[in-house]
Amino acid sequence: MLDTRTRREAAYGAMPDASGLNFYDADPNLARALRLRLEPDVFAHVEPILREAGEVAGGELDRLAREAERNPPRLITFNARGERVDEVEYHPSYRAMERVAFGRFALAAMSHRPVLGFRAPAPHAFKYALSYVLVQSEFGLFCPVNMTDSLARVLRLFGDERQRHVHVARLTETELDRLYQGAMFMTEKAGGSDVGASESVARPVDGGWELWGEKWFCSNVSADLILTLARPEGAPPGTKGLGLFLVPKRLPDGTRNRYRIERLKDKLGTRDMATGEVTYAGAFAEQVGELSRGFVQMMVMVNSSRLSNAMRAAALTRRAYLEALVAARGRMAFGAPLADLPLMRETLVELLLDSESALAAVLHAGAVFDRADAGDAEAGRLLRVLTPLAKFSLCKRARWSTGEAMEARGGNGYIEEWVNPRLLRDAHLGSIWEGSSNVIALDVLRAIERDDGDTALFADIEGRLARLRDPLVRRAGALASGALTRLRALVARLKAVDRPEQEAAMWRLCERLARLWAASLLLEEADAEAGERANGSYRKLVVAVEYLRRRLLVPEGEVWLGPRPAAGQWFDAVVDCAPVPAEAVMPLLEALAEEAP
Ligand SMILES: Cc1cc2nc3c(=O)[nH]c(=O)nc-3n(C[C@H](O)[C@H](O)[C@H](O)COP(=O)(O)OP(=O)(O)OC[C@H]3O[C@@H](n4cnc5c(N)ncnc54)[C@H](O)[C@@H]3O)c2cc1C
């Protein structure tokens, strides 16, 4: 067990890390959080798969990821005869990781057809949980995995007969030599956030379309099927005039399609995955869905990718916390393990709160995703606002958590032989791509204004708080209800001010909304834990109340001199997910009831 191993070995000069641990077994919180959101038989079915993934993530995948990052892909523009080939050469370690993600764990297939012993497509919460375990070791590859998965979704929803059957079958292959990987080329020099400014054009030709133009950021640039936007000649300006097209890498006669990969980007992170610049030089393309709804259909892929990004941010946050904990428990300073020093405990608790709240958000969003897909309109409205909210808050926070975890490892944290620099680099990308944070925050505003997103979100939170049963958890729930009332009033005021003020308020407002949502999820988990017949405990309530205090009730700049159960007497129990009695949380609850607004 993580606790005994690292604590016993605490020593001066020790430099432990988390490699070699089973990332599933080392994370009992994951099992608890997932059990709450899956049927018992489904949980029993997936647990061995998660355990296997935990072993892979802590060992083989971690090693491969390190190797792949040191050996980034190369663009081969010409062959020996001077003919244009535009191929990307990947290191064998990257290919081995592809076999793990696409093959062994079938991550791009599982939402579309039964795999891994399921009789139907797997629940999203499981897909996110499995990815979360693996992404703790490798971030970059999960961009192609997600795009392949999301492209299959778009084609299933909007594609013609052939696209829905032939292409989706290849996109969901688990045999690597038959697999078609997906990509999404949208961003242009003229239009990233402002996609409507795109300049690529589409011309009708026999049996399809021909595309002309340049795409400026193209991840998984060597993909077999590319979803892209272009403006049919004569179509109106802006996003309304954009059509959605599918560009195959190879033409039916086996020759390469007419687009060039100009060069690969020299990136800060995800260095093992190829992002390139592409020129369409009359590339053959198939139309996807209705021409006039191109952008709306593309947003299905974008939104599914945004949630996947939130999941990946949760994974980076978890690994960051795990590394900080292992390092601080194993290393001595001033006569004690670092993890016993009060101020280091504060750092660790902050990271733990980020990690557990992020996981709860991702798993809940996954469950809502399934309900929305099953036709639940209310869940659809909720997902509309949860998607940008999760992307904004989790990705933004992962930048902070990975940075703090780097510092918790001291100088070693800054050295490339340790995992921290990679976590930090990747975390910074999460909040830039798939819509940078400001753009995402404005999408939350759009969800509020056009789609009644605030009503859906507040109803979801309110319902959860009302369902709390344990008396102590309900007391904490009352504090969250107070925050809900204040936030509702704030959103009502937001609706009454001018657009510039609305936009300017969105960063902080998104933070507040996301935190309240997360707090309600932690309370729900606390209620389930307290209500367990055999092992009832208030460990999660400690986490939830600490979260409420630090993220919602006491202003961030304020100095807190009150009780700190998670960082104090109950620290070990909280980080080891061991039972915690009611007394642990009472003083903090009482102090908050007195001091909080
Ligand atoms: C490594 C990497 C891989 C990528 N892969 C892909 C890919 O595969 N496919 C693809 O299509 N794209 C890809 N992208 C592009 C990415 O999605 C865009 O870079 C991103 O959406 C931002 O667009 P932009 O770069 O044009 O920035 P801009 O649109 O110029 O934005 C610059 C800044 O302004 C902010 N901003 C924009 N509008 C507003 C507003 N109204 N109010 C306030 N602030 C605003 C943005 O939030 C951002 O911070 C990738 C990017 C990177 C870095």
Side-chain angles (χ1 to χ4, degrees), residues 147 184-187 191-194 217-219 267 275 429 432-439 442:
M147 290 198 296
M184 165 177 71
F185 299 175
M186 207 164 50
T187 306
S193 309
D194 188 1
F217 278 99
C218 305
S219 290
K267 297 178 282 181
T275 301
L429 180 54
I432 290 178
W433 66 6
E434 301 293 352
S436 307
S437 298
N438 284 359
V439 169
L442 295 179

Side-chain angles (χ1 to χ4, degrees), residues 32-51:
R32 285 181 164 276
L34 190 60
R35 195 179 278 130
L36 184 64
R37 294 168 177 103
L38 293 180
E39 294 298 326
D41 58 327
V42 178
F43 180 79
H45 176 71
V46 301
E47 191 169 36
I49 305 171
L50 289 163
R51 182 157 289 122

Side-chain angles (χ1 to χ4, degrees), residues 24 53 67 89 111 116-117 123 168 173 176 196 234 286 298 346 372 399 444 455 538 553 556 575:
Y24 177 73
E67 207 178 333
E89 189 181 86
S111 293
L116 302 177
V168 170
E173 260 294 344
L176 269 282
E286 302 169 16
M298 179 56 119
E346 278 296 305
R399 292 176 152 205
V444 173
T455 311
Y538 288 99
L553 299 180
E556 219 139 317
V575 300

Side-chain angles (χ1 to χ4, degrees), residues 7-210:
R7 286 182 70 76
R8 203 177 47 240
E9 289 168 6
Y12 281 105
M15 299 179 186
D17 72 4
S19 60
L21 288 175
N22 180 314
F23 286 178
Y24 177 73
D25 287 335
D27 188 3
N29 175 60
L30 169 58
R32 285 181 164 276
L34 190 60
R35 195 179 278 130
L36 184 64
R37 294 168 177 103
L38 293 180
E39 294 298 326
D41 58 327
V42 178
F43 180 79
H45 176 71
V46 301
E47 191 169 36
I49 305 171
L50 289 163
R51 182 157 289 122
E52 184 188 336
E55 191 70 34
V56 170
E60 177 190 352
L61 192 64
D62 211 29
R63 281 193 301 278
L64 290 170
R66 197 176 294 243
E67 207 178 333
E69 205 204 24
R70 293 218 178 111
N71 296 281
R74 269 188 339 129
L75 176 63
I76 313 289
T77 311
F78 297 98
N79 67 13
R81 292 182 190 81
E83 293 155 339
R84 191 105 197 181
V85 287
D86 290 319
E87 276 303 343
V88 177
E89 189 181 86
Y90 287 93
H91 190 261
S93 50
Y94 186 83
R95 294 295 184 204
M97 293 198 299
E98 287 180 325
R99 286 193 289 280
V100 170
F102 287 104
R104 184 164 168 188
F105 291 107
L107 276 160
M110 69 170 61
S111 293
H112 311 287
R113 64 183 180 85
V115 288
L116 302 177
F118 278 93
R119 274 191 240 118
H124 270 88
F126 166 60
K127 181 172 76 178
Y128 290 158
L130 182 59
S131 310
Y132 160 90
V133 170
L134 294 167
V135 172
Q136 289 178 44
S137 288
E138 165 59 15
F139 178 91
L141 172 67
F142 282 81
C143 164
V145 169
N146 157 68
M147 290 198 296
T148 305
D149 172 22
S150 301
L151 174 55
R153 178 177 174 81
V154 170
L155 295 184
R156 277 179 43 221
L157 288 172
F158 309 116
D160 61 25
E161 185 76 10
R162 188 166 156 273
Q163 290 165 346
R164 271 187 284 125
H165 294 110
V166 181
H167 291 336
V168 170
R170 296 299 290 264
L171 289 165
T172 59
E173 260 294 344
T174 49
E175 290 297 328
L176 269 282
D177 48 359
R178 289 190 47 77
L179 170 74
Y180 274 4
Q181 291 193 28
M184 165 177 71
F185 299 175
M186 207 164 50
T187 306
E188 301 189 1
K189 284 183 190 168
S193 309
D194 188 1
V195 180
S198 297
E199 292 170 345
S200 293
V201 294
R203 292 186 190 131
V205 292
D206 247 7
W209 294 79
E210 205 177 74

